[in-house]
Amino acid sequence: MTGIREPQLAGTWYPGDAGALVMAVDDYIASAEKLAPERLDRLKAVIAPHAGYRYSGTVAGSAYAQVAAIGERISRVVLFGPSHHVGFRGLAVSGADAYRTPLGTVPIDRDAVRHLTGLPFVRPMDAAHVPEHSLEIHLPFLQRILGDFSLVPVVTGDASPSEVAEALAHLWGGPETLIVISTDLTHFLDYHTARRIDAATSSAITGCRPDAIGDDHACGRVGLKGLLEIGRRHFINVDVLDLRNSGDTSGRRDQVVGYGSWAATDVRDPVHKLEIIALGHRRALRRLAEQAIRHGLSTGREPDGPWDDTPPALTRAVASFVTLRKAEELRGCIGSAEAHRPLAQDVAVNAYKSAFHDPRFRPLEECEFGDLTIEIALLSAPQALNVNDEDDLIERLTPGIDGLILDDGQKRAIFLPAVWQNLTEPRDFVRYLKEKAGWNADHWSPSINAHTFRAVKIAGAD
């Protein structure tokens, strides 16, 4: 499919006239309360329903009122909704160039879609997009709030929470990217039963407990559980904004549908940002490392790109280390202590150097490649420690967590946090690092500079 995915619901589920649609959306948003400013500043995702506006518009408005408050920074929306018409395995992206509603067209971020299809469980499938209402129903809200933005529409089939979490992390972006998860709650229960079950589901959502959401508790549970899997890893916090059902909005209470809206705020911890990159791009980073080593085996040269045909997250400067192991024995380890080039390039070059230029080992041979395990570590920015002496340094280290850099004059050495697996005592950790730098074990100087950092590890193969 190319061109435009035309609206299917205009005039039925929501007003087909642009003027009437604007008035309806504005009314739904205007009636909602907003989060505190410090929470709004970190808004990353919203969860909202996808029923006809008569039934769920007010609840959706509670979510989009939060987006409206920070709309000036949003230029891309990642929208996940369930498939109601086609059964399939994995996640489906669209081949269209844009989605249309009575408020105009929304261009699809084709580069993001192309990169996303590099994940083995994502595939183009227009048959899932053309009839699907779970995405379309959100677009007038987004158009009214954001004006110009690009869209990454994803229809979910049978996918695991970890797969969806990986896809969401792949698309995570920065403050310019908003994630929208489309879901309704219970269907066709009596009013009081629905309220009880939906309240439990809401508690599971705010507690980031994906396993507590049953198959009949949310039709968009696949996308929802993926977002909550990210929350379970402490990358986001979730607040409930509204919770009701069609018995509250239409009057009929014998068979109701539940609706809720929630806001997810980004923790914005520097290490968590690296963990998001690792979760969403671990396959691509492994491929880059493997390709760099294969390139070295065939040409004897360092890889030279291109580095710009990668997802934006891999074009940002991030420091990395690449460790090679053969039969669990170290076979090479080279890295960057500080970020100074695109992450894609840093991983590729360090993988090549680990294989062929670690002075402790002979260059890798072709026959060894199949037995290698490649480990990649992404490093946070080093933080200086102002210490009085070695005892002070040892006291301030967090075993198992901190990496350490020591330098004095022309000598410098670094230990990754993984070294704690073999050197569990802080005093040993510091002593062996000093020896690695070329100092005596008991050496200390007032001019020694100490920096700590954290590392996020990507290990092994799928």
Side-chain angles (χ1 to χ4, degrees):
M1 178 180 178
T2 57
I4 297 174
R5 189 271 189 190
E6 298 291 344
Q8 307 294 305
L9 310 175
T12 54
W13 288 42
Y14 60 85
D17 174 76
L21 182 54
V22 165
M23 290 180 61
V25 169
D26 286 354
D27 285 346
Y28 293 134
I29 292 174
S31 61
E33 295 183 2
K34 293 183 178 63
L35 293 170
E38 63 272 15
R39 303 287 276 177
L40 285 171
D41 180 62
R42 295 185 287 107
L43 184 68
K44 184 63 186 180
V46 293
I47 304 164
H50 52 240
Y53 286 2
R54 171 190 173 191
Y55 301 100
S56 67
T58 302
V59 179
S62 296
Y64 287 111
Q66 318 308 318
V67 179
I70 48 93
E72 70 281 351
R73 69 169 165 85
I74 303 297
S75 60
R76 185 178 71 153
V77 175
V78 173
L79 176 56
F80 274 56
S83 176
H84 290 84
H85 304 279
V86 180
F88 61 94
R89 174 74 181 91
L91 306 176
V93 294
S94 173
D97 296 316
Y99 264 60
R100 193 197 314 272
T101 79
L103 301 186
T105 59
V106 181
I108 290 177
D109 184 341
R110 296 305 317 168
D111 283 341
V113 168
R114 177 171 60 87
H115 290 308
L116 190 63
T117 55
L119 300 180
F121 47 85
V122 180
R123 57 172 166 158
M125 189 177 184
D126 287 310
H129 280 261
V130 172
E132 186 51 57
H133 66 272
S134 67
L135 304 185
E136 179 183 335
I137 203 74
H138 293 274
L139 295 182
F141 281 96
L142 292 164
Q143 288 173 292
R144 182 61 179 158
I145 293 167
L146 303 179
D148 294 330
F149 67 98
S150 64
L151 180 70
V152 186
V154 180
V155 176
T156 63
D158 179 16
S160 68
S162 61
E163 288 173 332
V164 177
E166 184 176 353
L168 288 171
H170 186 94
L171 297 165
W172 200 257
E176 82 292 336
T177 298
L178 173 75
I179 294 170
V180 177
I181 303 297
S182 175
T183 188
D184 294 339
L185 300 177
T186 51
H187 285 58
F188 310 128
L189 301 177
D190 67 85
Y191 181 83
H192 295 290
T193 301
R195 279 176 56 87
R196 175 176 54 81
I197 295 175
D198 291 345
T201 299
S202 181
S203 178
I205 292 172
T206 56
C208 292
R209 293 181 286 113
D211 294 342
I213 299 174
D215 290 349
D216 297 329
H217 296 171
C219 60
R221 63 189 175 278
V222 173
L224 177 62
K225 287 185 176 185
L227 182 65
L228 298 183
E229 176 64 21
I230 291 177
R232 187 182 65 80
R233 301 180 189 209
H234 310 295
F235 303 156
I236 57 172
N237 298 310
V238 184
D239 294 300
V240 61
L241 302 170
D242 200 354
L243 186 64
R244 63 182 83 186
N245 61 49
S246 58
D248 300 308
T249 57
S250 71
R252 180 176 174 178
R253 296 196 170 194
D254 56 335
Q255 288 188 323
V256 302
V257 177
Y259 311 118
S261 60
W262 297 262
T265 50
D266 196 336
V267 173
R268 290 192 183 173
D269 178 275
V271 176
H272 288 173
K273 289 181 179 179
L274 295 180
E275 290 175 321
I276 286 288
I277 292 173
L279 175 61
H281 300 280
R282 58 191 176 89
R283 299 173 197 268
L285 290 171
R286 288 175 191 164
R287 283 195 298 269
L288 283 165
E290 291 172 358
Q291 291 167 0
I293 296 172
R294 289 187 183 278
H295 182 271
L297 288 169
S298 62
T299 69
R301 297 193 304 272
E302 182 177 298
D304 55 4
W307 313 114
D308 54 354
D309 188 30
T310 57
L314 303 188
T315 66
R316 297 167 188 156
V318 176
S320 71
F321 262 71
V322 178
T323 302
L324 307 181
R325 298 189 186 278
K326 180 181 175 184
E328 300 185 0
E329 295 294 325
L330 184 66
R331 186 61 179 84
C333 182
I334 297 289
S336 307
E338 297 186 40
H340 65 285
R341 57 190 169 191
L343 175 57
Q345 182 180 7
D346 202 62
V347 166
V349 171
N350 288 336
Y352 168 81
K353 290 182 176 179
S354 294
F356 304 106
H357 292 287
D358 187 328
R360 298 169 293 180
F361 302 95
R362 58 178 172 76
L364 189 78
E365 298 179 4
E366 180 77 40
C367 61
E368 298 178 275
F369 183 81
D371 298 325
L372 284 183
T373 298
I374 301 175
E375 299 174 357
I376 301 168
L378 309 184
L379 276 58
S380 68
Q383 301 296 312
L385 287 181
N386 296 316
V387 296
N388 299 317
D389 51 30
E390 184 171 342
D391 288 338
D392 188 17
L393 171 61
I394 289 169
E395 180 67 25
R396 295 173 64 179
L397 288 177
T398 304
I401 301 296
D402 285 336
L404 181 61
I405 304 169
L406 293 179
D407 67 79
D408 188 5
Q410 298 299 314
K411 294 182 178 180
R412 189 173 197 247
I414 181 173
F415 268 170
L416 297 176
V419 175
W420 288 105
Q421 297 174 10
N422 299 315
L423 300 174
T424 58
E425 293 297 324
R427 190 167 298 277
D428 291 338
F429 192 86
V430 172
R431 178 167 64 89
Y432 281 102
L433 181 57
K434 289 191 294 181
E435 292 181 349
K436 180 182 179 182
W439 299 308
N440 294 327
D442 60 354
H443 172 78
W444 187 261
S445 165
S447 61
I448 285 181
N449 295 309
H451 292 77
T452 57
F453 62 91
R454 304 292 172 92
V456 174
K457 185 178 176 181
I458 306 171
D462 293 314

